[in-house]
Amino acid sequence: MIDYNPKAWFTFIFRFHKADTVRKLIPMFIALSAYSALIAFLELELLHLSPNSDLKQVTLVHSLLGFVISLLLVFRTNSAYDRWWEGRKLWGSLVNNSRNLALKLNAILPASNTASREYFRMMIGNYPFSLKNHLRNKYIPEEFQQAERMQLQPEKHVPNQIAAQIMVHVHELYRQGQISGEQLLSLNPELLSFTDICGACERIKNTPIPFSYSIFIKKFIFFFVMTLPIGYVFTLHYLIIPVVVFVFYVLASLELIAEEIEDPFGFDANDLPTDTISGNIRKHVAEIL
C-alpha cells in the first residue's frame, strides 16, 4: 500500500508511480488517436460530410448514454471499494483479537509457565503471516518463528493448521488444570475469530464481481468511446483526437482502479499493507506475553 499525505494533493498531478493507469493504457491511447484521426479524415476531408449530416445525431445518443455509464462506473467503483474496506476491517479485527487473546493468556497463565507463554507468543504471531500468504497463494516458511516445531503441511490449509494447534494447546492446558472452564469459555471467542476472519477474507478473494457484469461494463466503455468521433468530429474537428483519448482515460481508469482494489490482499500498490499489519501483530503479542 502506498503511504502518502492526503493534504498534498497538488503534487499528485505530476506524480507517476508503477500502478498509474496511464502506463497501462498507453497502447490504447495510441490506437484511439489513430482511429480518431482516421474518422476525422474520412468525414471532413474524404467524404466532405456536412455538419447537418445525420451522423451528427450520434451526439444525442452519447448524451443519454453518458448518464447511464456514469451510474454504472459509480456502482462499480463503490462495490470494489466496499470489498477493500471490508478486508481492512477484517484485518483490523485480527489485530484486536490477537491482542485480546494475548492479554487474556497473559492474565491466565502463571508466570512460571514460560513454555506455554513462548508457544502462544510464537503461534499467535505466526497466524497473520500464514493468512497473508494463504490469500496470496504462497507458502513462505521463512516468515514463521520456529517453523520446524509446527510441522505444517504446505499442500493443506496452513492457517487452519495453525489455528487448530493453538486450540489443541489451549484444551491441553484445560485438561491439565492450568485453565478453568470459565477461563476456557472466555478464550473461545478469540480462538474462533481467527477462522471466521480467514473465511471472510477468502470470500472476498474468491468471489469477484460477476463475469457478465464486468464484461458488459468493458464493452459499454469500448463502444461508447469508439463512436465518439463519428458525431463530435463536426464540432471539434481534429481536436476530437485528444478529447477521445481523455474520455477513454477517465472511463477506463475507473474500471482499472476497481479491478485492482476488489482483491485487496495481493501485491498491487493499492492493496492492504498486510505485511506491515502482520509484523505489528507479532510485535505487540510478543510485548504482551
Side-chain angles (χ1 to χ4, degrees), residues 1-2 15-26 249 252-261 267-271:
M1 185 176 178
I2 300 175
R15 177 183 176 185
F16 292 90
H17 55 87
K18 63 180 181 180
D20 200 297
T21 53
V22 173
R23 300 178 184 272
K24 301 177 182 179
L25 296 175
I26 284 179
Y249 165 69
S253 294
L254 289 173
E255 174 64 14
L256 287 176
I257 292 171
E259 288 179 354
E260 180 176 331
I261 67 175
F267 298 96
D268 293 328
N270 292 306
D271 285 342

Side-chain angles (χ1 to χ4, degrees), residues 76-115:
R76 175 76 172 98
T77 305
N78 285 344
S79 63
Y81 180 77
D82 285 343
R83 294 160 62 90
W84 186 92
W85 183 240
E86 183 181 1
R88 181 61 186 89
K89 290 192 294 185
L90 289 169
W91 274 82
S93 298
L94 182 62
V95 172
N96 295 336
N97 292 334
S98 299
R99 291 172 178 170
N100 288 332
L101 180 58
L103 288 168
K104 290 181 179 180
L105 289 170
N106 180 60
I108 292 172
L109 294 174
S112 59
N113 192 348
T114 56

Side-chain angles (χ1 to χ4, degrees), residues 269-286:
N270 292 306
D271 285 342
L272 296 174
T274 51
D275 294 278
T276 302
I277 297 174
S278 299
N280 287 336
I281 292 175
R282 173 174 286 168
K283 174 185 176 183
H284 297 154
V285 169

Side-chain angles (χ1 to χ4, degrees), residues 47-63:
L47 301 178
H48 300 288
L49 297 178
S50 66
N52 297 322
S53 171
D54 291 338
L55 291 176
K56 191 176 181 180
Q57 304 307 314
V58 175
T59 58
L60 298 177
V61 178
H62 283 97
S63 300

Side-chain angles (χ1 to χ4, degrees), residues 1 9 16 19-20 71 83 107 142 225-226 279:
M1 185 176 178
W9 61 270
F16 292 90
D20 200 297
L71 290 179
R83 294 160 62 90
E142 294 79 13
V225 173
M226 294 298 286

